[in-house]
Amino acid sequence: MAELIILGTANSIPSVEHANTHMAVRSRSGTILIDCVSTPVIRLERAGIALDDIQDVILTHFHPDHVSGVPLLLMNMWLLGREVPLRIYGLNHCLKRIEDMMSFYQWENWPEFFTVSFHRLPETEAEVVLQNDELRILSSPVHHLVPTIGLRFESSTSGRHIAYSCDTEPCDEVTRLASGAEILIHEATGRSPGHTSAAQAGEIAARAEVGQLLLIHYPVHPAVNPDLVHQAGESFQGPVSLAEDFMHIPLE
Ligand SMILES: [Zn+2]
């Protein structure tokens, strides 16, 4: 049964209870990791996800709080004897820098390293990133400080759709990406260039006519502000809640 597992919920400054925002989509055909931060193996172990179960990694943009874990993930997979290939999807801006970052680690000299393939996504709306019997994942460019994609997860068995804004300021692309989805997972970093406040996320949720709003990528220092839910609820009439680390969201 397909599900989305939230692996982190913090904005760029994590805490013990809140890792940087990243997540995984689990289905019968394997697990897809969405962004890769800090020491990925620890979070994945706690979520009960085996490294060999991950065949696909989607990277939303090249900021440290979204991709800093990639070198360690690849190295750990290699040292654990991985043989199956790994596919990494993202915009050229991000993947080019991932390749540069790995070349600093001279990964071409890692003996018997498994195959990693890069899949460059066009910077256009509603691009199919990948598709299997159970689900389809679409990407759309959003408005952040560097080229960034938001995602939409669509279950082909249940028809349930979940949209994820990623890091962005309010924009029509996110509204269209989320249009009519059962759940919108929207960032709530705060009102600043390239980001969105909880109140603005509520406005987007209302405009996209989603069923439910889940706030993510929110400030956790000094503490999570419980008013975020209230602020989003001022313009959105549906249920609003805060995403929490290790939350499971059914896709079916
Ligand atoms: Zn960012």
Side-chain angles (χ1 to χ4, degrees):
M1 141 156 178
E3 62 175 352
L4 192 66
I5 303 172
I6 304 291
L7 295 169
T9 50
N11 66 2
S12 53
I13 309 168
S15 67
V16 171
E17 296 299 325
H18 301 272
N20 290 131
T21 294
H22 64 308
M23 56 193 77
V25 182
R26 234 175 171 180
S27 73
R28 274 183 288 274
S29 4
T31 299
I32 302 154
L33 190 60
I34 317 292
D35 285 340
C36 184
V37 303
S38 63
T39 310
V41 170
I42 293 178
R43 220 64 185 171
L44 292 167
E45 185 180 335
R46 249 184 89 178
I49 299 169
L51 290 190
D52 267 354
D53 196 45
I54 300 172
Q55 272 114 53
D56 302 284
V57 179
I58 301 173
L59 300 175
T60 60
H61 66 295
F62 196 80
H63 270 163
D65 58 323
H66 292 262
V67 300
S68 65
V70 171
L72 194 53
L73 179 77
L74 297 180
M75 182 182 229
N76 288 173
M77 284 174 159
W78 168 54
L79 294 175
L80 286 166
R82 184 184 180 101
E83 290 177 356
V84 292
L86 184 76
R87 298 177 286 262
I88 303 182
Y89 307 79
L91 297 174
N92 180 56
H93 178 277
C94 179
L95 298 188
K96 165 85 178 69
R97 285 160 179 77
I98 294 290
E99 288 177 293
D100 289 348
M101 179 163 71
M102 291 309 299
S103 74
F104 285 127
Y105 291 107
Q106 297 185 299
W107 69 331
E108 65 278 10
N109 297 332
W110 297 2
E112 295 175 56
F113 187 64
F114 57 93
T115 303
V116 176
S117 58
F118 291 97
H119 301 263
R120 284 162 159 83
L121 302 170
E123 254 182 278
T124 41
E125 286 184 60
E127 285 296 336
V128 177
V129 181
L130 56 93
Q131 191 165 14
N132 60 36
D133 291 347
E134 285 166 274
L135 55 96
R136 185 167 84 137
I137 302 182
L138 305 175
S139 70
S140 282
V142 294
H143 294 209
H144 190 42
L145 306 168
V146 296
T148 300
I149 46 170
L151 298 169
R152 182 176 175 114
F153 312 100
E154 303 182 338
S155 164
S156 31
T157 47
S158 69
R160 194 169 156 87
H161 293 190
I162 300 176
Y164 167 45
S165 67
C166 194
D167 290 16
T168 184
E169 53 194 40
C171 63
D172 292 342
E173 286 85 343
V174 168
T175 309
R176 286 192 287 269
L177 184 70
S179 178
E182 275 74 18
I183 302 175
L184 169 59
I185 305 172
H186 203 293
E187 75 122 295
T189 312
R191 194 184 285 261
S192 60
H195 288 291
T196 300
S197 68
Q200 291 172 315
E203 289 164 15
I204 297 279
R207 217 171 294 145
E209 299 182 336
V210 300
Q212 187 185 332
L213 174 62
L214 208 50
L215 300 173
I216 203 164
H217 203 280
Y218 47 77
V220 298
H221 286 284
V224 179
N225 177 0
D227 280 352
L228 292 177
V229 168
H230 174 74
Q231 288 160 13
E234 291 203 331
S235 44
F236 178 61
Q237 304 306 311
V240 182
S241 46
L242 286 180
E244 294 294 346
D245 294 41
F246 302 110
M247 189 182 251
H248 288 234
I249 306 169
L251 248 170
E252 294 184 338

